Amino acid sequence: MAAWSERLAGVRGVLLDISGVLHDSGEGGGGRVPIPGSVEALARLKRSQLKVRFCTNESQKSRGDLVGLLRHMGFDISEGEVTAPAPATCLILKERGLRPHLLIHDGIRSEFAQIDTSNPNCVVIADAGESFSYQNMNKAFQVLMELDNPVLISLGKGRYYKETSGLMLDVGAYTKALEYACGIKAEVVGKPAPGYFQSALQEMGVESHELKEHRNKLP
C-alpha cells in the first residue's frame, strides 16, 4: 500500500490509453479482451481521490461504441471520460468553419453527422481500413489540390498497429502520402500532438505536472 501511495505522491490525475492498457486483441483471431487485472486496477483508481481520463487514438469506432465495448468487458467508464479524435475534430471543424471531405472508417461516420460536408474546404483522414482504396485516396488528393489553402486533418499519425491477423498499416502512412503529393503538412488531432493531451488535461481540470500517464499495462 505504501508503494502505491509513494508512486502517486503529488499526482491528482491519471491519463490512460485504452488499447494495450485496458485490453488487447484476443488470441486466435478473437475480439478484444481485457488485460488480466486491468478491470480491477481501474476500479481501484476510481475508488481513489484521483481524477481519471482515457485518451485514445481509436478512429474505427465511435466513442459510444468504444465505451459500450469496454463496459461489456467490465470496465467502469462513461463517454464523458473519453478524449477521442473524432469528437475533438468535430469541435475544430465547427470553430474554424471547415467543411470536410471525409476519408474515414464507417464506424465513426456517425460522429460527423452534425458537420456540414457540402463543398469541402478541407480533408479529414482517419484509419479508414478497407476504405483506403486508390479511388478514395485520389479523391482526397483532388479535393486538396483544388483548394487555395488546403487543410488536411489527420486523426492520429500512427505508422502501424497489431491485430491478431498481423500488423496493419495505420493512418500515418496514408497521411504522409497526401502530404507528399500535395506539398502540405497535416494537422494531427490525436496522440502524440501536444494540443490533444492538453485538451484532455483541461477536461480533467489538472495541470501536466499533476498527471500520471499510462501507455502500458496497468500495475
Side-chain angles (χ1 to χ4, degrees):
M1 199 67 184
W4 173 269
S5 301
E6 290 171 5
R7 293 176 67 182
L8 297 178
V11 175
R12 289 184 55 216
V14 178
L15 190 60
L16 299 173
D17 197 352
I18 292 177
S19 180
V21 173
L22 301 185
H23 69 73
D24 271 332
S25 297
E27 296 295 331
R32 305 181 193 190
V33 295
I35 292 170
S38 58
V39 172
E40 294 79 10
L42 178 59
R44 186 178 182 183
L45 285 173
K46 288 291 191 79
R47 290 194 300 268
S48 73
Q49 299 301 310
L50 297 171
K51 295 184 178 181
V52 179
R53 190 161 189 87
F54 306 87
C55 193
T56 178
N57 267 6
E58 173 66 59
S59 62
Q60 287 197 350
K61 292 183 180 295
S62 70
R63 185 164 53 173
D65 287 345
L66 177 61
V67 167
L69 175 65
L70 292 168
R71 290 183 66 85
H72 182 71
M73 292 181 190
F75 292 104
D76 177 13
I77 183 173
S78 65
E79 282 191 51
E81 295 174 309
V82 178
T83 297
T89 298
C90 288
L91 291 176
I92 292 171
L93 296 172
K94 291 177 180 179
E95 288 171 357
R96 294 166 56 180
L98 294 172
R99 302 178 305 277
H101 170 79
L102 298 172
L103 178 49
I104 61 176
H105 195 277
D106 286 343
I108 63 168
R109 200 164 291 277
S110 62
E111 299 273 22
F112 295 86
Q114 304 302 316
I115 298 296
D116 182 5
T117 58
S118 63
N119 190 26
N121 57 4
C122 73
V123 167
V124 169
I125 184 172
D127 181 8
E130 296 299 325
S131 293
F132 277 136
S133 64
Y134 173 80
Q135 180 180 7
N136 290 342
M137 283 289 291
N138 199 53
K139 177 59 179 178
F141 162 74
Q142 291 172 338
V143 170
L144 289 167
M145 292 298 284
E146 290 171 359
L147 297 173
D148 292 333
N149 297 296
V151 175
L152 174 61
I153 298 177
S154 180
L155 276 61
K157 64 172 186 179
R159 294 179 296 168
Y160 60 86
Y161 56 93
K162 186 178 181 180
E163 293 285 2
T164 51
S165 57
L167 297 179
M168 313 291 287
L169 276 176
D170 204 349
V171 63
Y174 299 94
T175 299
K176 285 294 184 183
L178 291 176
E179 286 181 328
Y180 176 71
C182 300
I184 61 175
K185 187 72 173 177
E187 301 177 25
V188 178
V189 179
K191 300 177 293 182
Y196 190 62
F197 287 108
Q198 191 60 45
S199 66
L201 293 179
Q202 290 174 351
E203 290 164 341
M204 293 175 75
V206 302
E207 300 293 333
S208 58
H209 67 276
E210 301 173 312
L211 177 74
K212 187 174 184 64
E213 180 186 2
H214 269 287
R215 298 184 183 181
N216 300 311
K217 296 179 182 180
L218 288 173

